[in-house]
Amino acid sequence: MDPAGADLAATAIEAALSAGATYADARFTHERGQHIGVRDEHVESVDHDESRGLGVRALVGSSWGFAAAADPTEVQAGEIGARAAAVAAASARVPGPPLHLADVQVHQAHYQTPVVEAPFDVSVTDKAELLIAATAAMRAAAAIEVARASVRSWDTRGWFVSSQGHRISQHLVRTGGGMDAITADEEQSQRRSYPQSFGQYEAGGFEVIRSFDLVANAPRLAEEAEALLTAPLCPSGETDVILEGSQLALQIHESVGHAIELDRILGWEAAFAGTSFLDLDQLGSLRYGSPLMNIVADSTLPGALATYGFDDEGTPAQRVRIVDEGTWVGALTGRDSAHLAGVAPGGMVRAESWNRLPIVRMTNVGLLPGDSSLEEIVADTDDGILMATNRSWSIDDRRLNFQFGCEIGWEIKNGRRGRMLRNPTYTGITPTFWAGLDRLAGEPEWRAWGVPNCGKGQPMQTMWTGHMASPARFHNVRVGVGA
């Protein structure tokens, strides 16, 4: 890790303090990204991006200021620090409530994502050949209109330095991708994707992609996409719904993850994705769901997409209980908000890049496993629908009323998986839906699903989040159009 980045950050902090800041921190980051996309056995895109820069956050009174610049010199680093303090001082002319910046242990440390096969060491040719083979296998298996496959990798190296003495370096590596098959007739189009709707992303190297075994899964994917064209439509009514893991992961993201962000709960953040139906006075007493509902936010989980050593405030990664046997007990917090919830900072403040102000973000927010299995849950269901792989979603700005569509469903009758169903959808109200959780698969089917593009803030920041889930059954759910 280049120590020059830490020196630039230290220069900026000294300048911010000299300009009147009572606290300052700085992040120097070098980011690289690569994306390769293949369509119908032809390489469609090869994209590379790279940037280096310094972002400085300064505190004056109860107001934050932020400034950033690409690849600065030492002189420019000092100017950035002074500018961040000037912005904070200007904001402090209209002061808000007193700001309490919670103490965290000062660390001088390094964190590295465990990697087996560095993704940028694998040639573009090798990656493209794998994707071409996957699309060829899809097209050979069924009459599909479009076959696509892609891989994406990020390599982020950076320093975090604070006026309290933090000096932390991190090297984070993330890799993912996937494929999909699209079929169509005169009236409709159908899509099947793998490993999940938007691709699967994890902390790690190219071994993540190899673990998907894209080529081996391609024929099944194409055959299911073709079969969906003639499958019966998902019926309307109220029934038991079994969700496979990736769909349940998105359900967690939208109806739990965003709702428990403390800045939304406090009304500090409402842009892009709204606020929250939760009220801090209900912390410790609100029934969020059934006793099977145990949610944690865990940024230490090996291999999960939002796993790291420290957040962008220097707080160590950790595991925090959010829902305990159905009762809401925790929130996603930062150093300037945690005390309002009566908890310690959770290490959950991150920025998309060096040129964005860190804000409260989801880490790996997931549902702990139960003791059943998908096979047992199906066998124990007299009448229901198994739904898999997200196709669409919508949720209101308080995270209460939602509608989800999935790529594929199967009718469950008398404990057996029956005919395939197309366009399966379900709708619900968050606490009512989660109160219906009555069966939950165990650890062998539990997986951390990665979302690489969670949007929040203004200007909008995208972020990597993870969501642990295993298949689960929900009782009496409204399904189908017109239910």
Side-chain angles (χ1 to χ4, degrees):
M1 197 70 64
D2 184 359
D7 295 339
L8 290 170
T11 297
I13 289 170
E14 290 174 8
L17 296 177
S18 298
T22 55
Y23 168 85
D25 56 38
R27 293 170 294 111
F28 183 87
T29 308
H30 180 189
E31 306 157 341
R32 289 192 297 160
Q34 181 191 71
H35 172 263
I36 301 171
V38 167
R39 175 173 173 153
D40 298 334
E41 305 175 51
H42 298 285
V43 175
E44 190 172 53
S45 61
V46 179
D47 300 316
H48 298 270
D49 57 81
E50 183 169 3
S51 72
R52 300 195 329 163
L54 178 68
V56 183
R57 192 175 67 154
L59 182 64
V60 175
S62 60
S63 299
W64 287 109
F66 179 75
D71 214 3
T73 64
E74 185 172 355
V75 172
Q76 291 168 329
E79 293 171 349
I80 297 166
R83 189 158 68 244
V87 172
S91 298
R93 293 177 184 174
V94 185
L99 187 149
H100 175 72
L101 196 62
D103 288 333
V104 296
Q105 184 177 351
V106 173
H107 288 271
Q108 298 187 355
H110 175 73
Y111 175 82
Q112 161 78 52
T113 301
V115 170
V116 174
E117 190 174 11
F120 287 85
D121 289 348
V122 180
S123 71
V124 170
T125 299
D126 287 348
K127 292 172 181 172
E129 287 178 348
L130 172 62
L131 301 179
I132 290 170
T135 59
M138 284 189 277
R139 297 191 67 81
I144 59 175
E145 297 291 328
V146 177
R148 299 180 297 193
S150 65
V151 297
R152 187 182 293 271
S153 299
W154 297 272
D155 183 297
T156 305
R157 303 167 192 248
W159 284 96
F160 173 84
V161 179
S162 83
S163 59
Q164 294 178 328
H166 293 87
R167 198 177 178 94
I168 297 167
S169 59
Q170 296 196 90
H171 180 193
L172 305 178
V173 182
R174 300 176 174 95
T175 303
M179 60 183 178
D180 66 346
I182 297 174
T183 56
D185 59 21
E186 292 77 7
E187 298 180 348
Q188 61 176 320
S189 65
Q190 296 291 337
R191 175 179 187 252
R192 285 294 287 136
S193 54
Y194 171 85
Q196 64 165 328
S197 183
F198 319 106
Q200 166 66 354
Y201 295 84
E202 301 176 12
F206 201 71
E207 69 276 7
V208 172
I209 296 295
R210 298 198 191 282
S211 73
F212 298 160
D213 205 351
L214 295 174
V215 175
N217 282 280
R220 173 188 59 81
L221 206 66
E223 290 162 4
E224 288 180 349
E226 184 178 43
L228 279 169
L229 289 176
T230 55
L233 192 65
C234 174
S236 299
E238 194 169 275
T239 189
D240 288 351
V241 167
I242 302 169
L243 299 181
E244 61 83 34
S246 73
Q247 173 56 34
L248 183 54
L250 189 62
Q251 178 75 52
I252 294 167
H253 180 99
E254 300 294 349
S255 67
V256 180
H258 278 304
I260 60 172
E261 292 168 337
L262 187 54
D263 52 353
R264 294 190 194 280
I265 295 170
L266 295 171
W268 295 0
E269 167 64 36
F272 195 74
T275 58
S276 173
F277 71 95
L278 297 172
D279 188 318
L280 264 187
D281 292 340
Q282 301 169 310
L283 186 64
S285 62
L286 176 81
R287 292 299 299 175
Y288 212 118
S290 81
L292 281 179
M293 187 184 187
N294 290 288
I295 298 279
V296 298
D298 187 352
S299 51
T300 70
L301 191 66
L305 188 59
T307 291
Y308 44 84
F310 299 85
D311 75 350
D312 288 338
E313 291 190 312
T315 304
Q318 54 199 275
R319 174 172 165 149
V320 176
R321 292 195 76 86
I322 301 296
V323 177
D324 188 7
E325 297 184 348
T327 300
W328 178 42
V329 297
L332 306 181
T333 63
R335 292 186 65 185
D336 60 358
S337 61
H339 73 285
L340 295 172
V343 299
M348 301 147 171
V349 172
R350 293 184 289 158
E352 175 189 278
S353 182
W354 51 266
N355 57 3
R356 291 290 182 268
L357 179 72
I359 56 178
V360 171
R361 300 309 303 249
M362 287 181 237
T363 58
N364 302 305
V365 177
L367 179 65
L368 296 181
D371 57 5
S372 188
S373 69
L374 177 58
E375 183 180 359
E376 291 173 349
I377 294 171
V378 169
D380 186 46
T381 301
D382 292 331
D383 188 3
I385 298 175
L386 167 62
M387 300 187 188
T389 319
N390 183 261
R391 181 169 179 168
S392 64
W393 73 96
S394 174
I395 189 166
D396 71 17
D397 60 358
R398 298 184 63 221
R399 303 281 150 184
L400 262 180
N401 296 279
F402 60 79
Q403 303 85 38
F404 284 97
C406 294
E407 290 183 356
I408 192 169
W410 289 271
E411 191 176 61
I412 306 296
K413 293 289 186 185
N414 302 315
R416 294 180 179 275
R417 186 190 301 205
R419 58 183 181 167
M420 181 184 292
L421 300 173
R422 64 184 165 94
N423 300 345
T425 62
Y426 66 97
T427 184
I429 297 174
T430 294
T432 305
F433 176 80
W434 282 102
L437 172 63
D438 67 354
R439 292 296 299 271
L440 183 58
E443 196 157 354
E445 296 173 86
W446 192 68
R447 181 173 185 177
W449 297 93
V451 174
N453 56 353
C454 173
K456 183 179 179 182
Q458 195 173 49
M460 201 266 282
Q461 300 189 40
T462 59
M463 185 51 67
W464 303 285
T465 69
H467 305 287
M468 303 78 78
S470 54
R473 187 178 72 183
F474 295 82
H475 190 51
N476 287 346
V477 178
R478 294 172 63 190
V479 302
V481 177

